[in-house]
Amino acid sequence: MNSLYPELAHALPEAILAVGAIVLVLFGAIRGKDSSGPTSEIAVAILGAAILSIVLGSPVEGVVFNNAFIDDHFADFMKVLSLSGSIVTLLMSGDFMRRAGVDKFEFPVLIVLATLGMLMLISANGLISLYLGLELMSLSLYVVAALSRDDARASEAGLKYFVLGALSSGMLLYGASLLYGFAGTVTFTGIAAAIGEHPNMGVVFGLVFLLAGLAFKMSVVPFHMWTPDVYEGAPTPVTTFFASAPKVAAVAIATRVIITAFPGALGQWQQVIVFMALASMALGSFAAIGQNNIKRLMAYSSIGHMGFALVGLAAGTQAGVQGVLTYMAIYMVMTLGAFAAILSMRVDGRPVEKITDLAGLSKTDPAMAFFLSMLMFSLAGVPPLAGFFAKFYVFMAAVEAHLYWLAVIGVLTSAVAAFYYLRVVKIIYFDEAAPAFDKATFTQRTVLALASLAMLLFWVYPAPLVQAATSAAKSLF
């Protein structure tokens, strides 16, 4: 029994969320319909406590639970990002969910459970723990997507996500079974030792199927088809959550699997990652041009940004992983800020989602217009905003790995993507004013302002984020 305490110390954030989820379920069941507001506040406190346990916890790394769970700087970095995305989502969602009539206590409970799955996924050190974390996250997300049962679009979004998610889970399981069959072990380090530098065809097939399952969670081409419909159909707070924290967890486990389990198969997995990066950058850049719905625009934007992040991963170097981590941190801040503005798009109490509804925003709400425009410029990668440096890091890593053509195509697709971001800015500042939005909540305006200012001032003092990403990347090598 005594040996269990050190192991639990490494999994303290997960323990906090697990116990907290149980408390929330009991609290919600006892309070009934009156539990929605307090439940959200308690959920935020639980997620905040998990962050504090990481930040203030012991810096000692460790592999526990029979090599199934790893606690290292990489996991700490990505866990803080995922927890932060969940907290901001809950803080911004309360007003929207109340107005939409779906302010149920189950929502924060499911967010906590999904976040628990993300944390388990990020710290997975083997195929079994990977699958357990992935499914805990996915099952919660399936329910959250269809939370608004009376809305046909939300129900359709939930069904699409569930069906395609089940397919991706099956592919991932098939790949995991092939890897176990050929390697004889489920741990990542064991797989790396077993396959060596010359993996056979069975291992390659297993790797491809495993990456296909993870690609669905990252929403990269060719497993992106659910993203626009689910983003548009799900309630906006749910879309905000989908676009932030789960993406971080999916990229984290994809990076860990590739770097830790397949260091000797660089030639095989690099081809797969390069294809997904190229296809995602191209589709995300061109398909978004004709979109009129702001949530669908952000869906294609997220596909493109995941492609840019994979450029760094394709390098397979420490600099590449550092670029991925920096990119994901900046991407999450940009995305949460943009969705803070989208949540604020409400006219006469009714949410609006058309890009044209932003027309003339500079005349009706100059502050929101400025902050949202800064985020659009940052998403486009315009210097000296943080989005430019995010792309710079991953492109430089690709160049150092001699993937020159990948970096060149990344720059070209980034230039194409700039069109639809700048189109939003043009609509905000130069079109005739549309009806003014209702006053946004304090939380929404605060998140929007802080996110845009962070993007604007990142170049002044980038050291904390870059140093944290560098330290996290080192722990994988």
Side-chain angles (χ1 to χ4, degrees), residues 135 138-146 154-170 216-217 226-227 230 242:
E135 285 305 295
S138 299
L139 289 172
S140 302
L141 295 181
Y142 297 151
V143 181
V144 168
S155 299
E156 181 184 354
L159 182 61
K160 285 182 178 179
Y161 188 55
F162 171 71
V163 172
L164 294 173
L167 174 63
S168 72
S169 293
F216 175 86
K217 300 304 177 186
W226 62 274
T227 314
V230 173
F242 274 35

Side-chain angles (χ1 to χ4, degrees), residues 19-108:
V19 174
I22 296 172
V23 171
L24 284 174
V25 170
L26 293 175
F27 180 80
I30 294 170
R31 288 287 297 272
K33 294 182 179 180
D34 298 329
S35 61
S36 54
T39 309
S40 296
E41 295 164 4
I42 297 170
V44 169
I46 292 169
L47 295 167
I51 289 185
L52 287 176
S53 71
I54 296 172
V55 175
L56 303 178
S58 171
V60 179
E61 300 183 355
V63 181
V64 294
F65 302 121
N66 292 323
N67 294 322
F69 187 95
I70 184 168
D71 176 24
D72 56 9
H73 295 310
F74 176 84
D76 290 345
F77 184 91
M78 299 305 265
K79 285 177 183 179
V80 169
L81 287 185
S82 296
L83 288 163
S84 300
S86 301
I87 288 174
V88 175
T89 298
L90 281 175
L91 289 174
M92 293 195 300
S93 63
D95 179 70
F96 185 99
M97 302 301 262
R98 279 190 294 271
R99 290 172 180 263
V102 288
D103 186 25
K104 304 172 183 177
F105 85 88
E106 291 92 340
F107 177 66

Side-chain angles (χ1 to χ4, degrees), residues 158-414:
L159 182 61
K160 285 182 178 179
Y161 188 55
F162 171 71
V163 172
L164 294 173
L167 174 63
S168 72
S169 293
M171 297 174 70
L172 186 142
L173 267 182
Y174 181 61
S177 65
L178 283 175
L179 290 173
Y180 174 65
F182 283 96
T185 179
V186 294
T187 64
F188 296 154
T189 51
I191 292 172
I195 65 176
E197 296 185 1
H198 302 286
N200 58 38
M201 191 57 66
V203 170
V204 173
F205 269 103
L207 171 60
V208 170
F209 277 103
L210 187 71
L211 289 178
L214 296 176
F216 175 86
K217 300 304 177 186
M218 292 186 286
S219 69
V220 296
V221 178
F223 303 97
H224 66 285
M225 64 289 292
W226 62 274
T227 314
D229 292 337
V230 173
Y231 272 43
E232 181 182 7
T236 306
V238 174
T239 306
T240 305
F241 186 58
F242 274 35
S244 54
K247 293 283 178 66
V248 172
V251 170
I253 190 58
T255 303
R256 186 184 293 281
V257 166
I258 285 174
I259 300 300
T260 306
F262 301 98
L266 174 66
Q268 287 74 23
W269 63 254
Q270 191 177 61
Q271 298 177 47
V272 179
I273 298 298
V274 166
F275 166 75
M276 291 194 295
L278 287 173
S280 300
M281 289 188 296
L283 183 121
S285 298
F286 286 98
I289 291 175
Q291 300 302 319
N292 294 316
N293 184 289
I294 188 71
K295 288 164 71 176
R296 289 186 75 89
L297 177 77
M298 292 303 295
Y300 285 109
S301 170
S302 74
I303 294 170
H305 280 287
M306 290 303 101
F308 291 122
L310 290 182
V311 170
L313 183 56
T317 61
Q318 183 178 314
V321 173
Q322 178 205 331
V324 172
L325 299 181
T326 306
Y327 198 102
M328 292 309 299
I330 293 174
Y331 162 79
M332 197 181 74
V333 175
M334 293 189 296
T335 300
L336 290 172
F339 273 99
I342 295 171
L343 284 164
S344 305
M345 293 173 60
R346 187 180 292 275
V347 178
D348 297 329
R350 181 177 55 87
V352 293
E353 298 175 357
K354 298 293 184 184
I355 297 175
T356 51
D357 292 317
L358 292 166
L361 183 63
S362 60
K363 302 178 183 66
T364 58
D365 193 339
M368 180 178 172
F370 172 79
F371 291 135
L372 181 56
S373 297
M374 286 302 101
L375 290 171
M376 290 295 113
F377 280 125
S378 186
L379 285 164
V382 175
L385 301 175
F388 166 78
F389 292 99
K391 292 179 180 177
F392 176 79
Y393 289 131
V394 293
F395 291 159
M396 284 304 298
V399 169
E400 291 173 4
H402 306 295
L403 298 173
Y404 305 110
W405 54 277
L406 180 60
V408 169
I409 294 175
V411 172
L412 294 176
T413 53
S414 184

Side-chain angles (χ1 to χ4, degrees), residues 124-163:
N125 195 45
L127 298 174
I128 295 176
S129 51
L130 182 157
Y131 185 71
L132 289 174
L134 186 74
E135 285 305 295
L136 177 56
M137 177 184 79
S138 299
L139 289 172
S140 302
L141 295 181
Y142 297 151
V143 181
V144 168
L147 191 66
S148 183
R149 291 177 297 179
D150 298 328
D151 186 343
R153 289 196 312 168
S155 299
E156 181 184 354
L159 182 61
K160 285 182 178 179
Y161 188 55
F162 171 71
V163 172

